[in-house]
Amino acid sequence: MKTFSINDRVSLVPDKPFLIAGPCVLESDDVNMRVAEGVAELAEKYGFTYIFKASFDKANRTSLSSYRGSGMEEGLRRLRMIGERFNLPTLTDIHESWQALAAAEAVDILQIPAFLCRQTDLLLAAGKTGKAVNIKKAQFLSAADMANVIKKVESTGNEKIMLTERGTMFGYNNLVVDFRNVVDMGAFGYPVVMDATHSTQRPGSIGNASGGDPRYAPYLAQAAALCGASGFFFEVHPDPSCALSDATTMIRLDEFGAVLQKVRCAFDLARL
């Protein structure tokens, strides 16, 4: 796995797992701060590098009425505040190429949503910022298909790339994880992330929103660790029933320590 810095304090290295976690979308300052502080403590306890994640805009919600976020200007201000207050690297999605420069001034990692991972202009704009780029593999692509996606970012001279597995469409309204994708994406030499919570989604299965079953997320993360993943993505919330986005796939903050302990054990076992 390639080693690279995501800011002047934090680097991703092969022998230490990293964690991308937060509420799906930025919520109140109270929720954002509780998650950032709580997960940071757990990450330190179990030996993970922690990256706080939240979206300033969820542009691909199932329904027009679904909550999207606080907007770009306010959202980036909140992300910058969280990073500075807790001394954490931060990550957020971008959906359009014009958002890349502004987001890069506020966060350490730009994330390309799965449905947009073939959008050339978006990938080039993210790469040109020089920031680390986390690319989620689309639910309709194989790991091998990511070769062309990677080349687009590499063409900008940026090799600070992360690749995320988040499930594959399994008929309608369901996802399945093919762990061969974790192994095959690892062959590109970049860090591979297992998005354990989004992979439990059942897209659009409850009409105006996506359903899901987060009880499977810890198992998916452990299996991915055994397949060579070094990054683990979880949506975490103090009270998932009140979450403003992806409430059906969240992990409760007060249950998250037990999850991380098991993932860390699987990560260490895979490297014996």
Side-chain angles (χ1 to χ4, degrees):
M1 184 188 99
K2 295 185 180 181
T3 299
F4 58 80
S5 299
I6 53 178
N7 60 30
D8 58 4
R9 306 180 310 277
V10 179
S11 296
L12 300 185
V13 296
D15 60 348
K16 184 174 183 179
F18 62 95
L19 174 66
I20 300 171
C24 180
V25 65
L26 283 163
E27 298 198 12
S28 68
D29 286 341
D30 176 62
V31 169
N32 299 335
M33 297 293 185
R34 286 173 64 189
V35 173
E37 183 175 27
V39 175
E41 291 175 356
L42 293 171
E44 182 175 4
K45 179 177 180 179
Y46 294 109
F48 288 80
T49 296
Y50 176 40
I51 300 161
F52 177 85
K53 180 270 172 181
S55 300
F56 61 81
D57 179 25
K58 298 297 292 183
N60 58 348
R61 298 302 305 276
T62 301
S63 168
L64 181 63
S65 62
S66 298
Y67 180 75
R68 288 183 54 167
S70 56
M72 187 171 181
E73 183 177 353
E74 174 62 14
L76 293 179
R77 183 193 68 79
R78 291 184 179 186
L79 285 161
R80 187 182 292 109
M81 177 179 65
I82 291 165
E84 292 173 352
R85 177 165 179 176
F86 297 105
N87 198 29
L88 292 173
T90 52
L91 175 153
T92 197
D93 306 277
I94 57 171
H95 294 85
E96 300 186 55
S97 56
W98 62 265
Q99 297 174 332
L101 282 176
E105 292 178 357
V107 302
D108 301 288
I109 302 171
L110 302 180
Q111 181 166 277
I112 308 300
F115 288 141
L116 301 178
C117 76
R118 290 172 30 130
Q119 294 295 100
T120 301
D121 289 345
L122 184 61
L123 291 163
L124 294 178
K128 288 175 182 177
T129 66
K131 291 296 181 84
V133 182
N134 182 34
I135 310 169
K136 287 194 167 186
K137 182 183 71 62
Q139 300 91 326
F140 49 84
L141 294 183
S142 71
D145 293 324
M146 293 298 285
N148 292 315
V149 174
I150 292 167
K151 288 177 183 177
K152 293 177 183 181
V153 178
E154 289 177 333
S155 74
T156 68
N158 188 342
E159 294 189 346
K160 294 191 289 186
I161 298 169
M162 303 148 69
L163 304 172
T164 294
E165 167 63 30
R166 54 95 71 237
T168 300
M169 292 305 300
F170 189 62
Y172 297 113
N173 306 121
N174 207 358
L175 297 172
V176 66
V177 176
D178 180 351
F179 288 98
R180 294 176 297 180
N181 286 325
V182 175
V183 176
D184 292 346
M185 285 197 293
F188 292 120
Y190 292 108
V192 175
V193 180
M194 180 69 225
D195 184 342
T197 47
H198 281 108
S199 294
T200 70
Q201 279 185 332
R202 295 193 177 98
S205 63
I206 51 179
N208 64 349
S210 292
D213 196 338
R215 64 182 169 147
Y216 296 118
Y219 300 103
L220 297 180
Q222 292 171 68
L226 294 172
C227 292
S230 55
F232 305 92
F233 186 120
F234 290 91
E235 296 170 300
V236 181
H237 198 281
D239 183 359
S241 66
C242 297
L244 299 179
S245 176
D246 287 357
T248 59
T249 55
M250 293 277 185
I251 303 293
R252 287 186 61 92
L253 179 58
D254 60 8
E255 298 174 353
F256 194 43
V259 174
L260 288 186
Q261 183 178 27
K262 292 178 180 179
V263 174
R264 181 67 210 229
C265 288
F267 178 88
D268 292 340
L269 180 62
R271 284 150 181 82
L272 290 177

